[in-house]
């Protein structure tokens, strides 16, 4: 959730002028003032226009119904988001409300008492039960209001595919490489890469890695982090994931580390690029740049068996309340509003993503009609909520991202060297932590 960016600060109406009036100079006790609204602070990492519009609509609707409250919305660079939250937690300066992409990735915030237990809240009955699993800890407690069903795979421009004479999406790895060749011959960049925003690197391989974790039934990222396994053990065939990554790097745009996420999305929006490998939140970003973008989705093909090409869908994060907030009762009312069908429809319309709220239509956008028909209804999907894509230990995470960066820069894309250096670096970091 939500989920890569230049840091931005967006403060919505939080300054209200007090109204002063005197009925008479002889009766100053009759002076009246309008009470200044109390401000609910909300930190998020939404960059996409549709997501911000949904958030603005909901908070403005709440403030209209409850004029005693206003909102201070703060949007933060996705790459720096968790570091900011953890720094605020340490300094006891947490917002009233905040977003989390993954409960499993933020257990430290839960354990230190910075997330309210939402178990049993009436508004949770509005959520499709299967999407509550991703916001639960092992003890069954619920820590966030999930908002969307995130998918991980390939987002493609149908017009670019048509221009290159590609009539069907690839379902095997060899067919994927053939697709890249056809796009390249047609003068189209096969894959848009915005590695200037480093978070996109790990999501470039997420469609492959998540599927491998699902097939093995193991949260491999967690196992590596705790030292239960190593990169060299190749528990989920991470070597093959890297190998495929190296092979498709021949098809990305020039100067990927000078290209940011917005520029990569712009390439796909204009049909200059054929594909982006990332999450379904990409659709909002691309269509914000070009509403006429003719987009589609397909599962990343990680083998020569078409049956392995399944689309990963999950909901593992959402809206969290700070239990130490002086406005926690109001915050619960905010979540009640955002769990309504009214806000679910706004979400699907503006953010262009599948809502977790019951009873909403699935034909709100052509891109999702294809996903529903080709994958959801044919049961070619898997739940990736038990699996993570990032390391929660920040030293390990930075080391992992540095290794992926070095792998891209290395002209040989040497898999064995990358694996060896990762294991050596992780061992050093774990020993320092003991």
């Amino acid at each position: 959730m939500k989920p890569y960016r230049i840091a931005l600060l967006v403060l919505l109406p939080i300054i209200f002028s007090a109204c002063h009036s005197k009925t008479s100079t002889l009766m100053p006790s009759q002076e009246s003032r309008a009470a200044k609204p109390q401000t609910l602070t909300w930190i998020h990492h939404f960059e996409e226009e549709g997501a911000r519009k949904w958030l603005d609509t909901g908070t403005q609707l709440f403030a209209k119904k409850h004029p005693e409250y206003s909102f201070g919305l703060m949007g933060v660079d996705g790459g720096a988001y968790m570091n900011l939250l953890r720094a605020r937690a340490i300094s006891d300066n947490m917002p009233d409300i905040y977003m989390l992409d993954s409960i499993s990735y933020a257990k430290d915030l839960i354990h230190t008492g910075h997330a309210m237990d939402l178990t049993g809240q009436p508004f949770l009955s509005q959520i499709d039960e299967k999407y509550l699993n991703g916001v639960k800890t092992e003890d069954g407690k619920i820590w966030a209001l999930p908002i969307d069903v995130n998918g991980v795979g390939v987002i493609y421009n149908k017009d670019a595919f048509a221009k290159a004479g590609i009539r069907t999406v690839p379902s095997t790895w060899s067919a994927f490489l053939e697709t890249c060749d056809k796009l390249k011959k047609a003068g189209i960049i096969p894959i848009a890469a915005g590695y200037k925003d480093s978070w996109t690197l790990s999501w470039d391989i997420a469609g492959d890695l998540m599927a491998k974790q699902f097939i093995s039934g193991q949260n491999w990222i967690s196992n590596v982090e705790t030292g239960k396994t190593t990169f060299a053990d190749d528990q989920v065939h991470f070597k093959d994931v890297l190998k495929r990554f190296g092979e498709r790097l021949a098809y990305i745009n020039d100067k990927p580390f000078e290209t940011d996420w917005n520029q990569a999305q712009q390439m796909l929006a204009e049909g200059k690029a054929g594909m982006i490998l990332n999450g379904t939140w990409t659709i909002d970003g691309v269509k914000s740049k070009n509403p006429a973008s003719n987009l589609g989705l397909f599962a990343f093909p990680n083998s020569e068996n078409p049956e392995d090409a399944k689309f990963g869908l999950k909901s593992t994060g959402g809206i969290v309340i700070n239990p130490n907030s002086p406005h926690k009762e109001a915050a619960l009312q905010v979540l009640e509003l955002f769990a309504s069908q009214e806000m679910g429809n706004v979400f699907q319309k503006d953010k262009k993503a599948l809502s977790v709220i019951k009873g909403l239509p699935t034909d709100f956008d052509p891109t999702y009609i294809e996903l529903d028909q080709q994958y959801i209804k044919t049961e070619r999907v898997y739940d990736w909520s038990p699996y993570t894509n990032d390391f929660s230990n920040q030293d390990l995470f930075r080391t992992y991202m540095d290794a992926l960066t070095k792998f891209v820069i290395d002209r040989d894309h040497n898999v064995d060297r990358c694996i060896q250096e990762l294991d050596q670096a992780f061992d050093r970091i774990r020993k320092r932590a003991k």
Side-chain angles (χ1 to χ4, degrees), residues 28-52:
S29 60
Q30 304 260 328
E31 180 177 310
S32 63
R33 293 175 183 265
K36 181 180 180 180
Q38 300 181 68
T39 301
L40 286 166
T41 55
W42 189 334
I43 293 182
H44 65 89
H45 53 66
F46 295 132
E47 177 193 6
E48 294 82 6
E49 179 183 342
R52 294 197 307 271

Side-chain angles (χ1 to χ4, degrees), residues 149-152 155 278-284 297 311 352 368:
V149 184
N150 282 320
V152 61
I155 304 90
N278 210 289
T280 49
W281 50 82
T282 307
I283 296 166
D284 180 13
L297 293 163
F311 209 96
K352 297 178 177 59
Y368 286 98

Side-chain angles (χ1 to χ4, degrees), residues 158-198:
K158 292 183 178 181
D159 293 335
F161 269 46
K163 181 179 177 181
I166 302 166
R167 293 180 173 81
T168 58
V169 298
S171 58
T172 65
W173 178 238
S174 58
F176 181 85
L177 294 179
E178 289 173 7
T179 296
C180 290
D181 281 328
K182 289 179 180 178
L183 288 166
K184 193 171 183 178
K185 288 177 182 176
I188 300 167
I189 299 167
I191 303 170
Y195 299 157
K196 185 175 182 179
D197 289 304
S198 60

